[in-house]
């Protein structure tokens, strides 16, 4: 806690130095500044980490030329992006084309403002924090559609349409799985959610039956929300060039990437807050390490997980993606909600553990069995190849 | 069951990720400018001119017959003859090129110039590291850049160089044999002429 108190004290001191009329603005600015700078820096590091890790997964080195071990690669990338020409198509809607990347970045950054980074270390501590988070997150859909529409390019428009369809479909399981946490905690405020998991690793929501399934569903929907592989069909390179980013170049293109990165961090931070104990240490003995360190650690491990997934899975087809959302994710998140309801009703004892665990277990295995029988979810068979004896 | 295949795949990629740190068999990347794989013997890229001995100007085998210039499909060779002649390895006086340029930005490495050269003077190199900041001049290799020693040829293409040397030895032997035959013939003709002369002298003496 000393670290958080120190930061808050510094901020108060700085605010008091300002003239009275400037103080509210100054205070807001001082709250934003650490978030914007630290996540900007984290984004740069994450791009490098992603390329390095993908390289290793594919048994190659990854970038290792600029600086020691390739550490300065993000700087080189940044310089390259900034010095590139900014081209706007002649027939594009200039205003919308210009506003889209900004809107995307702003909506991603706003989401970070309600995340508690430590005890009392939260830029915007509102009662309905999670509602705010999802509301501004949904604004990114608008920004992506602005990008697709404003560029006057068929690929861009198609990418944007896909993005809208995908984000709206996955928003439902995303919010439903987050809802289970809110039901149990009984508050929409993220500080309360974190406070409910303060007792050490066994109080984290992921170690409950509903939390476990909820966390997995939440992570999958998160991948779809931020258009990351394997749900990156809105910008599928092999089909749509770059989707809604097709007509962007130079700094605006970089802004898109930055917005995507920041949205990923925001989502990971929310996952950590909802299910992984937020800024709390896993064991109370370790709580002398400041909260932000824990939160960033959890966030980074989730980012690593996302990179690992990206290195593993191929892109889904558009119809498979929709089917997965509506036939699997949605039923499972509703079942999970019921399990959370049972947990609340039985007040979290052994009986609650068994009954909600059983419900989730049975639902998952039963439902995936039923779906597997509907041939579309089962592994494909290659009849001709197998007849010719080519199969394994 | 949904998700089993995904977990399997994740384990596989994780194995790659960790394996690439300790298993050199997995990480097969050769970091090019610092590490190089030795070139395969038959690798070839652009032609070069061979010279014998130590001085490239006097040892240059090319006699500027311009056959390669005429045969080169993309016409990237440019030759100008010199007025001065110089002796070749057989001691005959031959022409020599004053200018011999190959534009390697145009050359397609077809080796036709090598096939047609009757004097074994142009062969394929395996150097591929050409780069220039200038579109025209820096990739236009001149005579002095093209001239490389026979020793160098042996180092890059040993088998081929051996064959080339054998051809040249053969040529020299043929040449020597021819010279010898010519000399013998000449000597014989001389002898005959001499004996004829002696005979006719004797006859005239008898008649008188
Ligand atoms: S390289 Fe050979 S073919 Fe070409 S001019 Fe010289 S001697 Fe003639
Ligand atoms: S290798 Fe082919 S293209 Fe190149 S100089 Fe010789 S004949 Fe011309």
């Amino acid at each position: 806690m000393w670290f958080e108190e120190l930061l808050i004290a510094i901020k108060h001191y700085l605010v008091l130095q300002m003239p009275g009329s400037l103080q509210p603005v100054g205070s807001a600015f001082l709250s934003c500044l650490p978030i914007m700078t630290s996540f900007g820096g984290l984004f740069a590091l994450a791009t490098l980490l992603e390329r390095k890790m993908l390289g290793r997964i594919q048994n190659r080195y990854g970038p290792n030329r600029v600086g020691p071990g390739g550490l300065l690669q993000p700087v080189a990338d940044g310089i390259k992006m900034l010095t590139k020409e900014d081209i706007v198509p002649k027939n594009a809607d200039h205003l919308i084309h210009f506003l889209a990347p900004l809107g995307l970045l702003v909506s991603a950054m706003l989401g970070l403002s309600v995340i508690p980074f430590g005890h009392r270390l939260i830029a915007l501590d509102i009662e309905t924090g999670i509602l705010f988070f999802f509301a501004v997150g949904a604004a990114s859909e608008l920004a992506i559609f602005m990008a697709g529409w404003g560029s006057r390019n068929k690929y861009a428009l198609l990418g944007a349409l896909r993005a809208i369809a995908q984000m709206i479909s996955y928003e439902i399981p995303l919010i439903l799985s987050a809802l289970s946490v809110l039901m149990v905690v009984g508050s929409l405020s993220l500080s309360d959610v974190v406070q409910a998991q303060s007792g050490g690793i066994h109080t984290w929501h992921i170690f409950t039956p509903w939390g476990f399934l909820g966390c997995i569903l939440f992570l999958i929907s998160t991948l779809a929300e931020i258009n990351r592989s394997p749900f990156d069909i809105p910008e599928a390179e092999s089909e749509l060039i770059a989707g809604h980013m097709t007509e962007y170049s130079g700094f605006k293109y970089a802004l898109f990437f930055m917005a995507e990165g920041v949205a990923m961090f925001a989502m990971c931070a929310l996952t950590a807050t909802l299910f992984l104990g937020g800024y709390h240490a896993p064991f109370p003995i370790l709580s002398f390490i400041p909260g932000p360190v824990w939160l960033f650690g959890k966030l980074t491990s989730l980012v690593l997980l996302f990179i690992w997934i990206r290195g593993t899975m191929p892109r889904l087809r558009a119809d498979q993606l929709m089917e997965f959302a509506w036939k699997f994710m949605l039923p499972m998140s509703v079942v999970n909600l019921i399990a959370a309801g049972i947990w609340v009703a039985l007040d979290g004892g052994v009986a609650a553990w068994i009954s909600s665990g059983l419900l989730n277990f049975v639902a998952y295995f039963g439902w995936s069995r039923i779906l597997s029988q509907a041939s579309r979810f089962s592994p494909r068979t290659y009849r001709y190849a197998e007849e010719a004896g080519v199969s394994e | 069951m949904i998700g089993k295949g995904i977990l399997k795949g994740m384990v596989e990629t994780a194995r790659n990720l960790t394996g690439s740190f300790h298993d050199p068999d997995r990480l097969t990347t050769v970091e090019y400018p610092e590490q190089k794989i030795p070139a395969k013997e038959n690798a070839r890229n652009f032609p070069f001119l061979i010279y014998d001995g130590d001085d490239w100007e006097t040892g240059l085998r090319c006699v500027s017959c311009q056959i390669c210039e005429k045969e080169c499909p993309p016409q990237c060779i440019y030759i100008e003859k010199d007025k001065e002649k110089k002796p070749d390895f057989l001691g005959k006086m031959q022409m020599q090129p004053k200018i011999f340029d190959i534009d390697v930005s145009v050359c397609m490495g077809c080796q036709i110039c090598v096939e047609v050269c009757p004097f074994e003077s142009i062969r394929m190199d395996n150097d591929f590291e050409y780069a220039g900041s200038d579109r025209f001049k820096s990739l236009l290799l001149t005579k002095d850049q093209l001239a490389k020693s026979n020793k160098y040829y042996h180092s890059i293409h040993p088998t081929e160089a051996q064959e080339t040397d054998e051809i040249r030895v053969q040529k020299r032997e043929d040449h020597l044999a021819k010279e010898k035959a010519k000399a013998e013939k000449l000597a014989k003709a001389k002898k005959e002429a001499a004996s004829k002369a002696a005979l006719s002298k004797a006859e005239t003496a008898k008649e008188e």
Side-chain angles (χ1 to χ4, degrees):
Chain A
M1 301 241 187
W2 56 270
F3 184 69
E4 287 95 327
E5 296 301 337
L6 182 69
L7 286 186
I8 291 169
I10 292 175
K11 185 190 153 186
H12 278 188
Y13 173 76
L14 286 175
V15 169
L16 284 180
Q17 305 302 307
M18 298 176 188
S21 56
L22 269 182
Q23 275 182 8
V25 181
S27 160
F29 177 74
L30 284 179
S31 303
C32 296
L33 195 67
I35 296 181
M36 287 170 75
T37 47
S38 60
F39 278 91
L42 195 63
F43 166 70
L45 282 181
T47 52
L48 178 68
L49 194 66
E50 172 150 21
R51 291 175 63 183
K52 278 273 191 199
M53 215 169 134
L54 283 181
R56 287 291 175 169
I57 283 176
Q58 294 155 9
N59 285 338
R60 46 183 183 81
Y61 285 105
N64 63 353
R65 293 280 135 174
V66 196
L71 261 181
L72 293 179
Q73 186 69 36
V75 181
D77 284 346
I79 292 173
K80 184 198 113 187
M81 283 290 189
L82 290 184
T83 49
K84 277 206 167 171
E85 190 188 353
D86 177 24
I87 301 167
V88 181
K90 200 169 142 204
N91 287 328
D93 191 327
H94 287 243
L95 183 65
I96 292 183
H97 189 266
F98 173 74
L99 283 179
L102 292 179
L104 202 60
L105 189 62
V106 166
S107 78
M109 281 279 183
L110 275 181
L112 285 170
S113 61
V114 291
I115 304 284
F117 290 98
H119 185 65
R120 287 176 63 213
L121 215 60
I122 172 167
L124 190 63
D125 193 4
I126 47 179
E127 284 289 291
T128 52
I130 189 150
L131 201 63
F132 177 83
F133 187 95
F134 286 128
V136 293
S140 69
E141 282 156 45
L142 182 69
I144 286 183
F145 197 70
M146 276 161 71
W149 182 260
S151 328
R152 204 186 176 102
N153 176 309
K154 293 189 189 75
Y155 289 119
L157 190 56
L158 270 177
L161 287 174
R162 281 183 174 193
I164 298 275
Q166 171 182 325
M167 289 170 116
I168 288 179
S169 311
Y170 278 88
E171 201 131 89
I172 299 164
L174 180 80
I175 293 177
L176 283 184
S177 48
L179 208 56
S180 57
V181 176
L182 304 184
M183 267 171 71
V184 172
V185 174
S187 163
L188 277 173
S189 157
L190 283 171
S191 328
D192 291 350
V193 172
V194 177
Q195 223 46 59
Q197 310 174 67
S198 60
I201 196 163
H202 59 280
T203 54
W204 292 6
H205 289 149
I206 190 170
F207 297 111
T208 56
W210 53 270
F212 184 67
L213 186 60
C215 185
I216 292 174
L217 291 174
F218 193 83
L219 279 178
I220 296 176
S221 328
T222 297
L223 281 176
E225 273 301 293
I226 54 179
N227 297 337
R228 262 188 81 82
S229 172
F231 300 106
D232 57 350
I233 62 158
E235 36 176 293
E237 302 90 8
S238 48
E239 303 156 30
L240 293 178
I241 305 178
H244 55 275
M245 298 184 285
T246 306
E247 290 293 358
Y248 284 90
S249 51
F251 190 53
K252 288 183 196 157
Y253 189 69
L255 273 187
F256 268 109
F257 263 100
M258 180 130 175
E260 255 172 33
V262 173
M264 177 166 79
F265 297 140
M267 280 297 195
C268 288
L270 188 66
T271 317
T273 308
L274 287 178
F275 298 101
L276 299 177
Y279 54 78
H280 287 303
F283 305 105
I285 313 168
L286 290 175
S287 56
F288 65 90
I289 299 175
V293 175
W294 286 111
L295 187 74
F296 275 92
K298 290 169 188 175
L299 193 154
T300 316
S301 23
L302 285 172
V303 170
L304 286 180
L305 176 71
F306 283 3
I307 297 172
W308 183 10
I309 290 176
R310 178 173 172 195
T312 306
M313 274 180 265
R315 186 181 304 129
L316 267 79
R317 219 170 50 205
D319 62 324
Q320 291 170 336
L321 184 106
M322 286 296 156
E323 227 167 48
F324 187 63
W326 295 104
K327 290 192 185 161
F328 185 77
M329 299 289 287
L330 186 60
M332 283 335 286
S333 48
V334 172
V335 167
N336 192 42
L337 214 55
I338 297 172
I342 294 174
W343 181 277
V344 174
L346 294 181
D347 228 11
V350 180
W353 247 98
I354 293 173
S355 47
S356 70
L358 209 63
L359 176 68
N360 273 349
F361 189 78
V362 168
Y364 175 71
F365 282 93
W367 189 236
S368 53
R369 242 196 130 72
I370 294 171
L371 283 182
S372 307
Q373 263 140 27
S375 61
R376 306 202 56 162
F377 275 97
S378 56
R380 254 196 246 178
T381 50
Y382 298 91
R383 191 154 63 89
Y384 293 110
E386 267 156 30
E387 267 167 21
V390 187
S391 75
E392 10 167 8
Chain B
M1 204 185 76
I2 290 175
K4 213 167 79 186
I6 291 176
L7 288 182
K8 244 185 183 165
M10 303 269 288
V11 170
E12 190 59 43
T13 43
R15 207 178 289 145
N16 267 1
L17 178 73
T18 50
S20 64
F21 282 102
H22 60 74
D23 185 358
D25 282 349
R26 284 182 183 270
L27 210 56
T28 50
T29 313
V30 177
E31 294 192 76
Y32 161 61
E34 292 95 33
Q35 307 169 355
K36 283 182 196 170
I37 304 176
K40 294 254 162 35
E41 199 192 323
N42 284 341
R44 68 178 205 221
N45 204 21
F46 298 124
F48 71 100
L49 295 174
I50 305 183
Y51 66 84
D52 296 311
D54 296 326
D55 183 28
W56 70 269
E57 263 183 311
T58 52
L60 208 63
R61 291 181 186 174
C62 177
V63 300
S64 92
C65 67
Q66 292 183 315
I67 296 179
C68 54
E69 186 185 24
K70 294 200 184 77
E71 293 287 341
C72 173
Q75 296 282 295
C76 63
I77 305 181
Y78 176 77
I79 300 173
E80 246 176 50
K81 288 187 184 177
D82 203 346
K83 287 200 189 82
E84 308 249 306
K85 291 194 175 185
K86 72 166 198 278
D88 69 353
F89 74 116
L90 301 173
K92 281 197 253 178
M93 289 310 269
Q94 295 278 22
M95 307 283 272
Q96 56 174 323
K98 189 171 172 198
I99 297 177
F100 195 118
D101 291 343
I102 296 183
D103 190 346
V104 292
S105 65
V106 175
C107 171
M108 60 188 189
C110 64
Q111 206 179 334
I112 287 180
C113 49
V114 175
E115 308 288 339
V116 298
C117 177
F119 296 89
E120 297 83 43
S121 56
I122 189 165
R123 284 294 182 262
M124 298 306 276
D125 201 350
N126 65 5
D127 187 12
F128 56 90
E129 288 159 319
Y130 290 94
S133 52
D134 174 358
R135 161 73 181 78
F136 297 105
K137 277 204 195 100
S138 47
L139 289 178
L140 186 73
L141 302 187
T142 49
K143 197 168 67 169
D144 52 324
Q145 286 165 302
L146 287 169
K148 283 170 185 171
S149 69
N150 196 21
K151 223 181 266 155
Y152 172 77
Y153 185 35
H154 272 279
S155 71
I156 58 169
H157 296 147
T159 328
E160 240 180 69
Q162 194 58 41
E163 279 165 20
T164 309
D165 278 2
E166 273 159 21
I167 293 174
R168 283 172 78 80
V169 168
Q170 190 62 43
K171 274 192 175 172
R172 170 169 265 149
E173 272 170 11
D174 288 355
H175 177 76
L176 285 181
K178 228 156 118 201
E179 292 275 279
K180 212 168 146 194
K182 225 181 187 173
E184 266 171 19
K185 217 167 138 195
L186 214 77
K188 216 168 145 193
K190 228 182 207 166
K191 221 174 173 178
E192 262 172 32
S195 62
K196 229 184 214 168
L199 214 70
S200 61
K201 220 181 193 173
E203 264 169 30
T204 44
K206 219 190 247 175
E207 272 169 29
E208 275 172 15

